[in-house]
């Protein structure tokens, strides 16, 4: 599997939509992610895991209640004067090779804060 592009929308430290080009080329075979403490490096890796695995991404998220509290904490909160995000998502475009050849897919996991309590989650995998 080779990552091509990743979009984070109101996820963790990433406000609004932030798209990262992750495609490699023969003369650029490695992508490095760097930054100061609190810049979002771990959030970037956490988003990949969460996009693909959802509630199974962390062994501590054993109940739906714990998972929903975790998701609410991951939705971008902005500063103390702004309202927390109502919707967030992680979208990853990647190439996957199998015996039939190379295919490009897009995985998108999104969350919406419910009016009363909790989170509505959806997952899409497009070819």
């Amino acid at each position: 599997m080779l990552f091509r592009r990743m979009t984070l929308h109101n996820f963790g430290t990433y406000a609004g939509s932030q798209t990262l080009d992750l495609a490699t080329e023969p003369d650029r075979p490695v992508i490095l992610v760097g930054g100061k403490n609190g810049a979002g490096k771990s959030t970037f890796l956490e988003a990949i895991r969460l996009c693909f695995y959802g509630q199974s991404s962390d062994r501590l998220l054993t109940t739906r209640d714990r998972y929903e509290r975790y998701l609410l904490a991951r939705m971008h909160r902005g500063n103390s004067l702004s309202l927390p995000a109502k919707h967030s998502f992680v979208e990853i475009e990647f190439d996957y090779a199998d015996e039939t050849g190379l295919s490009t897919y897009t995985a998108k996991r999104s969350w919406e804060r419910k009016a009363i309590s909790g989170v509505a989650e959806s997952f899409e995998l497009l070819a």
Side-chain angles (χ1 to χ4, degrees):
M1 179 186 305
L2 295 172
F3 295 130
R4 298 174 61 79
R5 181 183 49 82
M6 180 172 170
T7 300
L8 301 168
H9 179 77
N10 289 330
F11 185 79
T13 56
Y14 297 92
S17 285
Q18 308 294 320
T19 300
L20 303 138
D21 180 10
L22 301 172
T24 59
E25 297 182 21
D27 61 330
R28 262 186 33 184
V30 175
I31 301 292
L32 297 176
V33 178
K36 293 182 178 183
N37 289 346
K41 301 176 301 294
S42 295
T43 301
F44 169 80
L45 295 173
E46 180 182 4
I48 294 171
R49 192 176 68 224
L50 188 59
C51 182
F52 287 119
Y53 298 104
Q55 187 173 349
S56 300
S57 66
D58 190 315
R59 63 187 172 128
L60 299 177
L61 303 174
T62 55
T63 66
R64 184 68 190 176
D65 182 57
R66 278 187 181 180
Y67 183 54
E68 287 186 1
R69 280 186 281 140
Y70 166 78
L71 292 175
L72 289 170
R74 300 314 299 145
M75 295 174 100
H76 185 73
R77 291 182 295 281
N79 61 35
S80 60
L81 301 176
S82 64
L83 295 173
K86 292 184 179 183
H87 180 261
S88 64
F89 68 82
V90 176
E91 182 177 84
I92 301 171
E93 181 181 314
F94 61 97
D95 291 336
Y96 182 77
D98 61 15
E99 61 276 352
T100 62
L102 184 67
S103 300
T104 300
Y105 296 94
T106 301
K108 181 177 181 181
R109 192 173 297 269
S110 58
W111 307 275
E112 186 167 347
R113 190 183 304 267
K114 291 182 185 176
I116 297 173
S117 68
V119 177
E121 178 179 55
S122 65
F123 178 76
E124 299 174 82
L125 182 62
L126 306 171

